Amino acid sequence: MSDYNFAYLDEQTKRMIRRAILKGVAVPGYQVPFASREMPMPYGWGTGGVQVTAACLTPDDRLKVIDQGADDTTNAVSIRKFFQRTAAVAVTEHTGAATLIQTRHRIPERPLIAGQILVYQVPIPEPLRFLEPRETETRRMHALEDYGLMHVKLYEDIARNGAIATSYAYPVKVEGRYVMDPSPIPKFDNPKLSGTPALQLFGAGREQRIYAIPPFTKVVSLDFEDYPFEATKAPHPCDLCGDEGSYLDEVITDDRGGRMFVCSDTDHCASRQAEGHGGRLSTQGDAA
Amino acid sequence: MTEHPLLQVSDITKTYGGRIGCADVSFDLWPGEVMGIVGESGSGKSTLLSCMAGHLAPDSGRVIFDTRSDGPRDVLAMNEPERRMLARTDWAFVHQNPRDGLRMGVSAGGNVGERLMAVGARHYGSIREQAVDWLGRVEISSDRIDDRPRQFSGGMQQRLQIARNLVTGPRLVFMDEPTGGLDVSVQARLLDLLRGLVRQMGLSAVIVTHDLAVVRLLADRLMVMKDGRVVEQGLTDQVLDDPQHAYTQLLVSSVLQV
């Protein structure tokens, strides 16, 4: 164990964050301001998510950290190590075994269960920000439920691209009231936000906001009647595990246009391969 | 229907510290009527307009609007959501500078559609159809629908602003110097267009301007303001042809005759 307080932050700070979280849970989708602390990592690396995680962790928790679905990328590895060192909690790469999952820009493929907490890292929590730069005005728009502008953005998308081209950070309406930025998850993941048994918390460190989706909350993606919301993904199966329903990363494999599609959720892909599923490239790998 | 005035303004006073913005202004506006407010810069006409439209809170006075659903109501006593709803359904506000009234980063179609979407329209096809229709009415060709207002000339921007405001079929339009900053030929076309729309839609309007030609063409009645107070009011032609107050006489005689 280190000389740090449990999970790095001091107890008063954690209390302050927990109060913000409770308020966020009480008002689903509402952005609660909180006194974000400086963390030993740059803004944009998940300072908000880390503070929410620190406030929620208990010594009995089992932590999983993912970055774009992967357990083994820099961001995920360093945050996992951070909490191993400062909180000495157990860690795991299995979605099903984790009690607390901090994520950057993905929701795990495996459905979450009751008792789990999913913590999102959020760069810009205000869904109206790029339409209305004034914070005073966006707050008033939230207060008055004045969300016509959000549809203007979607209208512009269709007018320019023929379809709603927003493919990540796709705005949602929570429980029929607040319009919320679900953090830059692909819109493929949007349907999973709604009605999950798990608690979903969102932390934005630089912007000093926390918001939440409590379990079994209705989350609707905004759309037009004649251009309904579509959860899109690359139209391929995974080249390693053969899954046709998971969200895929496209990986360039050589300079001659060779590419492969693999599950972005590494745990999902690995456990499917362990169960004996294979894709286009995995059988070749086995043979070689 | 016509037993109430559409808008009753009584004793509006607004001061900026010790200075008077406008003082004790009262008038009634009847359905289908166009009221002109003229005066020199600093006479309080824009302050008055902002107070009526709910952009500024006056120190005292009442603005009673005959709403569609609940009959006459004091606009200043309404809460913010109600006032915003009114401002985007039954009211319209045309700014002097189209940059204040338009979203410059959003296409013309999006600008026209914004009010529709704000009141709940969620069908892309029909929003676009109405946008095309309105662009046509203000003489902007429909192939410009996806261009941004930045790419439009000043006159086109002003016409786009008018289309954006009238798309929800308002009953009352506030205009603050609608022809300001435009050259005379463009002004003439815009006035022609406005006059047509006002007559055709049966709009009531309050037009603030310092240009007497604009009120001569558009307004039924005229109010002359000086130092925050109304010095003379009456039928437009009567006031302009037979001014009684010294200031109005000065104003009328100051117009260059070409």
Side-chain angles (χ1 to χ4, degrees), chain A residues 2 27 120 198 213:
Chain A
S2 63
V27 193
Y120 296 77
I213 302 176

mmCIF file of all heavy atoms in Angstrom, chain A residues 2 27 120 198 213:
data_model
loop_
_atom_site.group_PDB
_atom_site.id
_atom_site.type_symbol
_atom_site.label_atom_id
_atom_site.label_comp_id
_atom_site.label_asym_id
_atom_site.label_seq_id
_atom_site.Cartn_x
_atom_site.Cartn_y
_atom_site.Cartn_z
ATOM 1 N N SER A 2 0.357 2.291 -0.560
ATOM 2 C CA SER A 2 1.155 3.503 -0.672
ATOM 3 C C SER A 2 0.792 4.482 0.436
ATOM 4 O O SER A 2 -0.034 4.208 1.278
ATOM 5 C CB SER A 2 0.887 4.140 -2.017
ATOM 6 O OG SER A 2 -0.470 4.515 -2.052
ATOM 7 N N VAL A 27 -31.503 13.645 -10.551
ATOM 8 C CA VAL A 27 -32.005 14.395 -11.707
ATOM 9 C C VAL A 27 -31.317 13.838 -12.958
ATOM 10 O O VAL A 27 -30.322 14.376 -13.407
ATOM 11 C CB VAL A 27 -31.708 15.910 -11.579
ATOM 12 C CG1 VAL A 27 -32.495 16.695 -12.600
ATOM 13 C CG2 VAL A 27 -31.999 16.404 -10.173
ATOM 14 N N TYR A 120 -18.080 6.949 -17.276
ATOM 15 C CA TYR A 120 -17.641 7.454 -18.570
ATOM 16 C C TYR A 120 -16.717 8.649 -18.383
ATOM 17 O O TYR A 120 -16.934 9.482 -17.510
ATOM 18 C CB TYR A 120 -18.837 7.940 -19.400
ATOM 19 C CG TYR A 120 -19.838 6.893 -19.788
ATOM 20 C CD1 TYR A 120 -20.761 6.418 -18.858
ATOM 21 C CD2 TYR A 120 -19.918 6.409 -21.091
ATOM 22 C CE1 TYR A 120 -21.711 5.480 -19.212
ATOM 23 C CE2 TYR A 120 -20.868 5.473 -21.451
ATOM 24 C CZ TYR A 120 -21.766 5.009 -20.520
ATOM 25 O OH TYR A 120 -22.705 4.085 -20.871
ATOM 26 N N ALA A 198 -27.499 -1.459 -14.770
ATOM 27 C CA ALA A 198 -26.322 -0.864 -14.123
ATOM 28 C C ALA A 198 -26.487 0.646 -13.987
ATOM 29 O O ALA A 198 -27.278 1.263 -14.685
ATOM 30 C CB ALA A 198 -25.072 -1.175 -14.936
ATOM 31 N N ILE A 213 -27.034 8.459 -15.403
ATOM 32 C CA ILE A 213 -28.244 7.772 -15.835
ATOM 33 C C ILE A 213 -28.481 6.653 -14.822
ATOM 34 O O ILE A 213 -27.722 5.686 -14.788
ATOM 35 C CB ILE A 213 -28.104 7.169 -17.247
ATOM 36 C CG1 ILE A 213 -27.760 8.252 -18.262
ATOM 37 C CG2 ILE A 213 -29.376 6.456 -17.656
ATOM 38 C CD1 ILE A 213 -27.516 7.714 -19.658
#
